[in-house]
Every structure is written in C-alpha cells, then in structure tokens.
Amino acid sequence: MKINENLAISESGFLFNPSTGESFTVNPIGAEIIELMKEGKTEAEISEKIIKSYEVDIKTLQKDLHDFSEILRHHQLLDQYEETKN
Amino acid sequence: MEKKRYERPHIVKLDSGMPGKFGMRNDSPPTTHIDGVAVTELVEKYGSPLFVISEHTIRSTYRKAYKAFSTRYPKVQFAWSYKTNYLPAVCNVFHQEGSWAEVVSGFEYDKALANGVDPGKIIFNGPGKTASELMKAAENGSLIHIDHLDELYLLTDLAGEMKRKPLVAIRVNMDTGIYPMWDRFGFNYENGQAWDALNKIMLSGKLELVGLHTHIGTFILGANAYGVAASKLADLALGLQQKFNHTIRYIDMGGGFASKNTLKGSYLPGADTNPTFDDYAEAITTALVNSGFKPESLPLLILETGRALIDEAGYIITSVLANKRLSTGRRATIIDAGVNLLFTAFWYQHPVTPAQGFSQYREENTIYGPLCMNIDCVRESINLPLLNKGDKLVIHYTGAYNLTQWMQFITLRPNVVIIDPDGTAHLIRQNESNDSVSSLEKTPDYLIGIK
Ligand SMILES: Cc1ncc(COP(=O)(O)O)c(C=O)c1O
C-alpha cells in the first residue's frame, strides 16, 4: 500500500490530487496518516505512532485503517504502479 | 502526555454540484443533556437503549395547544388519546393539565379508570367494543362514540337493561379534500349514513345524543381539511336542532395534527413546514364560529390530539454497536435500538444527534437497528459525525405511538424514565427480563426437556 506521492495536503485538511484534478477534505488524523504514508511508513509503524498519541485500542484502529485505505484506493489516491505490482 | 480524543480517519471528495435531496447538512449541536440531565448519567443508571420522556416538554406543548384554541373559542376540552402513549405517568401529566381521556378498547378504558379519571370524562371510541364493555361504560356515564350500525343496535338493546340512558355521539367520516379519505370508521356524511344513524338514535329515544365526532386521519398536513370537517359537523348539529329541537353538547374533532417529525420522502424538515397548533385552531374555530350557532350556544369543542402533543417529549438514547461499510462503499452504523422500539421509523425521518461533541467532519450514514431483519432500518440516509463503537446517539421526537406499538421482538424492551420539571429522572416502566417475558409462557409436560 503506497500513497500517491504527488498529493498536496494543506494544514486545514484540503487535499488535491494533481493527476486527476480532484480535491478532497480529510480530517486531522486522516491527514496525519496520509503524511506518514507519504514518508513511506508501513502500516505497523503508522499504527504504533497513532496509538501513542490517540485514545484508541489496536483492534479499532486496525479496522479503521483498513477501511481508510480501502477508501483511498476507491478514490485512486494510492500509487497505481505499486498497486499493480502487489 | 495526555492522549487526544480519537476520531476515525476520514476523507471525502469535494463535489461542486448542487446539494442533493439527502445532502442537507446536519450540524445540529450534540444532545449532551436532556432537560438538564446528562445523557451519560442516564445511561449509567438506567442502561442503553433508554426511553426518556420530558415532562416539561409535555406540559409546555399542551399549554401551547390549549392556548391556540382557547384564545379563539370559548369552550375547549382536550381528551388524551391513550393509544398514543398510555404509560400511567404520561397520562396523568395530561390529566393534571386538564385533559379528559380518549380510549378505544376495554383495556384502555380500564387504564383510564385506574388512573383516576372521572368516568364522565372518558370518551370511548373504536370499532370493537364488546357488549360488556358498552354496559360498563354506559352505566358509568362515559361518552360512547358509536362507530357502526351493529353497535348502535347492540347499545339500543342493552339500554333497556340499564339504570341510566347511555350518553352517545356518532363518529362521522367525510370527504374533507384529503387523500386517502378515511371512511372505515363511523357513518358517512355525504351519502346520508350519518343522518340515518342520527334519526335512529333520536327516534328510538333510548340513547342520549350528546355529541358529534370525527377523526379525519392522522398527520394531516393541510389545516384546511379541519375547517371543512368542522363545517360539516356544525351542519349536522344545526340540522338536529331544526329537525328534533335537540341541542348537542359537543363537537369532537378527533386527532390528526402533525407533530414536528418529517415524513419519509419529504424534502424539508417537518419542524419548519408542518402546520402549527395556531393553523389548525384557526381553521376549526373559524368554521364553527362562522356556522349558524348562536354565539351563546356554541358547542364545547373537544380535541383528541395525540402525536402532536407528545412526539417532541420523547427521546431514545442509544449506543453505537458497530460501524461498517456496505458493498456500495456506503457507511452503515448499527445501534442498539431498532424498529422493535421505534415503530415510527417506518413513517418518519427521526432526527438523530450525537450525545457527545465531535469535530466538524460528517459522513453520510445508514443507521440500522440490532435486529437480524432487513426491515430494521432507523434512518436510510443521514449525515453524522465519525462515530466510534460505544458512542451514544439521541433519537428525537419519539414520544408518540412507540411506547404502545413497540414489540418484544428478538430483544427485551428497555427502561423508560420521565424527567420531572426539576431535572430528576424517575423510572416509569421497568425493563423486561427473561423472567417477566417467560412468566406468561406455558410448556406442556411432554414438551419439557429435549430428549
Ligand atoms: C379516534 C381517534 N382519536 C384520536 C387519535 C389520535 O390521533 P393523532 O395521534 O393523529 O393525533 C386517533 C388515532 O388514530 C384516533 O383514532
């Protein structure tokens, strides 16, 4: 799972995909996760980081992370090349 | 370092199109308290799901309705429609405010008596009264609203055995311009059935005709229909004066006023668009005052308003059990209160608000109840914050019909509390238990045990 590196995210959670011209809003935790993905962190590393700073249990987080990446995939925000390689 | 409150990661595509029918924003503030009592405290003490009734809202709604009529008409009487909500505590709030009782079965009749209602202030409607129920009500001096000819004949026969003359009205159905027209109950105005019944009552001399009644339907969104109905009843009353020199005491306009709920399929919220008590009162009282009654002999105006007096006073507190994504990508939230408790979810888009603060992010949701049934859908489409399992939601405008039509289906029925005007909660119906449900069940000896 690799995020499209060209995505631009603003502080206020505005996300722009230059390859399609589509824009999105993302909540602060979503933006944080996308930033971590852009840095190339693995799912496990991301979970660890989030658990440290938020009041959430691992099961809930894993379920939500999985759902979030499904939605990113649905909106074609994951790297297409990486996707087909998997 | 203190941890931050968790919210699900969420992303939504920005569309520049028109806001859709279902895309209206729902930024209603969270309902953290009901009448000053914290939702979390209520759940801790009484569990989830939980029905909550606001006594303050009942009283203030009643007073608003009473004022709308009494400022326009000299003699007004409300009769609480028991089927709408017959928990004794709720009925007695209405009776304390001055309401009579309107019942539609022997069961409801006995409830009204047990609540301490003067039998002379009980209106007995309904198509299924038995001979013994009619005897009892008539001998008590209650007001019997005759629904059909078979009942008229039965009561006329029974009257011979009674110590007093039964006090009766007839129920009239009519065309008021609304669709569908309710013609199943009572005697029709347009085809002469109503006059036929009135003639029979007057000529038999065995029954005391005291009133005329109609109930034109429910959740009537056009107040004008009531004006038409009131004119037609006035016309019958004046005809009785002319033909039999008989004066009736009251005209009963039944129930049917819309509450603040939003009917399914409506574009705009009911709270903003449904007629108000003033609209209904204006239509009814104008028709009566403008009819041929002499000002000093206007009949008493009775109203059997149900849902419009209680819907807003009822809440269900419910917990998020799970959230999932449907195959279409749509978000679904599963809560612990389904259509077993919220019968009216079949008709209304009940407002649903979170019971705790959230960020500004919203997501379109379908809300399902906990029943393993396809019909168990509380809201097909609603924007909600990013809910976590365990979060609480408050469902609004649930006071009418749910506490009478709820089902002991798959799960047990929960506690019901009333919050008094000082902000203290009182249990008014105990939650069911396996024991309370199975105490009515009997198993023949040969079916006990499995072997
Ligand atoms: C005879 C009669 N009166 C009053 C009511 C109360 O109606 P609503 O809740 O629509 O006001 C009903 C409800 O069906 C009714 O049948």
Side-chain angles (χ1 to χ4, degrees):
Chain A
M1 182 178 70
K2 195 161 177 312
I3 193 97
N4 181 335
E5 277 169 18
N6 299 323
L7 297 180
I9 295 200
S10 79
E11 294 249 312
S12 59
F14 183 79
L15 186 146
F16 181 68
N17 182 357
S19 36
T20 61
E22 290 170 332
S23 15
F24 302 83
T25 53
V26 53
N27 64 350
I29 188 169
E32 198 173 328
I33 291 166
I34 291 177
E35 288 297 352
L36 292 168
M37 289 165 99
K38 281 175 78 175
E39 286 167 26
K41 297 273 192 296
T42 66
E43 201 172 317
E45 286 167 334
I46 294 174
S47 302
E48 196 182 331
K49 183 106 201 296
I50 297 290
I51 287 254
K52 268 196 199 134
S53 42
Y54 289 89
E55 248 177 72
V56 61
D57 61 88
I58 183 74
K59 278 201 188 114
T60 305
L61 180 62
Q62 277 174 350
K63 184 188 109 176
D64 291 345
L65 270 182
H66 181 75
D67 179 69
F68 189 55
S69 49
E70 282 302 313
I71 294 299
L72 294 177
R73 188 190 315 276
H74 171 79
H75 288 309
Q76 303 182 340
L77 297 171
L78 297 185
D79 197 303
Q80 299 297 317
Y81 172 68
E82 287 286 329
E83 279 294 290
T84 45
K85 224 168 53 174
N86 285 345
Chain B
M1 189 187 75
E2 192 160 330
K3 291 190 177 180
K4 291 184 263 190
R5 185 184 149 80
Y6 175 74
E7 176 176 78
R8 271 188 271 126
H10 169 67
I11 182 164
V12 65
K13 187 160 149 196
L14 294 173
D15 283 319
S16 50
M18 292 283 287
K21 174 167 175 171
F22 300 107
M24 295 231 310
R25 290 195 65 181
N26 173 8
D27 286 348
S28 31
T31 309
T32 57
H33 290 73
I34 298 174
D35 285 5
V37 188
V39 167
T40 45
E41 200 180 298
L42 287 167
V43 171
E44 228 163 76
K45 185 142 181 221
Y46 299 102
S48 168
L50 176 67
F51 263 98
V52 181
I53 301 282
S54 158
E55 182 179 336
H56 167 79
T57 305
I58 299 181
R59 291 187 191 273
S60 65
T61 309
Y62 177 87
R63 286 171 196 178
K64 220 183 287 166
Y66 186 79
K67 193 169 160 211
F69 283 89
S70 62
T71 50
R72 292 176 166 89
Y73 194 82
K75 293 186 278 178
V76 177
Q77 179 63 54
F78 279 83
W80 175 238
S81 161
Y82 265 46
K83 71 163 94 55
T84 313
N85 188 323
Y86 45 55
L87 282 176
V90 169
C91 295
N92 280 350
V93 174
F94 284 104
H95 297 321
Q96 285 182 1
E97 289 290 329
S99 268
W100 293 3
E102 185 269 330
V103 304
V104 292
S105 68
F107 163 74
E108 288 189 354
Y109 185 84
D110 288 343
K111 268 188 167 303
L113 287 182
N115 287 337
V117 181
D118 171 354
K121 297 178 175 175
I122 303 179
I123 293 169
F124 198 173
N125 278 315
K129 310 174 197 87
T130 65
S132 62
E133 288 164 358
L134 285 170
M135 280 292 272
K136 179 163 147 188
E139 296 210 309
N140 280 341
S142 301
L143 305 162
I144 298 174
H145 287 187
I146 300 171
D147 188 78
H148 44 72
L149 276 182
D150 287 317
E151 187 170 82
L152 174 55
Y153 294 141
L154 176 61
L155 190 60
T156 310
D157 279 350
L158 293 170
E161 307 163 29
M162 290 183 206
K163 292 188 250 351
R164 63 198 286 179
K165 219 170 166 180
L167 304 177
V168 303
I170 61 162
R171 175 164 179 171
V172 181
N173 68 60
M174 58 182 75
D175 181 5
T176 57
I178 54 166
Y179 180 85
M181 174 177 149
W182 283 26
D183 63 357
R184 206 180 112 184
F185 305 106
F187 302 90
N188 185 252
Y189 174 85
E190 285 81 14
N191 71 7
Q193 276 177 1
W195 261 116
D196 180 41
L198 293 173
N199 287 334
K200 287 190 163 76
I201 293 171
M202 294 309 299
L203 295 173
S204 85
K206 296 225 170 98
L207 309 173
E208 171 87 20
L209 180 70
V210 291
L212 294 169
H213 170 254
T214 189
H215 173 71
I216 61 173
T218 195
F219 217 85
I220 304 294
L221 290 170
N224 287 342
Y226 282 96
V228 175
S231 300
K232 290 186 174 175
L233 289 191
D235 182 53
L236 289 178
L238 292 163
L240 282 163
Q241 249 169 23
Q242 216 169 38
K243 182 164 179 185
F244 295 103
N245 197 22
H246 179 78
T247 304
I248 52 145
R249 295 183 211 163
Y250 65 84
I251 279 184
D252 179 343
M253 295 299 301
F257 302 159
S259 67
K260 289 205 170 79
N261 261 308
T262 305
L263 283 181
K264 280 195 171 174
S266 300
Y267 189 77
L268 294 166
D272 301 337
T273 54
N274 295 349
T276 60
F277 288 123
D278 284 301
D279 296 332
Y280 294 117
E282 186 65 25
I284 292 172
T285 60
T286 304
L288 292 182
V289 171
N290 291 349
S291 66
F293 292 113
K294 294 201 183 72
E296 65 280 7
S297 60
L298 280 167
L300 174 70
L301 168 59
I302 297 182
L303 298 151
E304 301 169 351
T305 311
R307 61 181 85 237
L309 287 178
I310 186 81
D311 242 354
E312 284 92 276
Y315 303 83
I316 299 176
I317 302 175
T318 170
S319 305
V320 174
L321 298 176
N323 49 60
K324 55 159 89 173
R325 209 169 274 284
L326 304 178
S327 64
T328 53
R330 193 182 177 76
R331 171 66 69 179
T333 300
I334 301 168
I335 60 174
D336 64 3
V339 296
N340 53 328
L341 306 184
L342 192 64
F343 181 82
T344 53
F346 294 127
W347 307 333
Y348 298 142
Q349 300 170 34
H350 283 280
V352 180
T353 52
Q356 51 275 302
F358 278 97
S359 73
Q360 76 274 29
Y361 296 93
R362 293 285 184 280
E363 193 173 22
E364 177 131 333
N365 257 275
T366 301
I367 307 182
Y368 294 114
L371 308 179
C372 198
M373 299 282 291
N374 230 2
I375 54 163
D376 193 20
C377 179
V378 171
R379 282 295 305 266
E380 274 135 33
S381 180
I382 181 171
N383 270 314
L384 283 175
L386 310 176
L387 299 164
N388 296 320
K389 179 173 181 298
D391 282 341
K392 303 290 177 271
L393 292 171
V394 177
I395 308 175
H396 298 251
Y397 305 162
T398 64
Y401 296 102
N402 290 306
L403 287 167
T404 47
Q405 295 193 64
W406 55 351
M407 294 174 268
Q408 192 273 301
F409 177 55
I410 300 186
T411 60
L412 299 165
R413 287 175 286 198
N415 281 324
V416 184
V417 298
I418 194 166
I419 300 179
D420 72 23
D422 297 325
T424 305
H426 307 265
L427 187 65
I428 57 170
R429 193 180 193 274
Q430 174 75 49
N431 56 359
E432 290 169 342
S433 64
N434 259 353
D435 283 347
S436 67
V437 172
S438 56
S439 68
L440 298 173
E441 298 165 351
K442 305 256 180 285
T443 313
D445 281 345
Y446 75 97
L447 290 176
I448 295 174
I450 292 182
K451 265 194 285 181

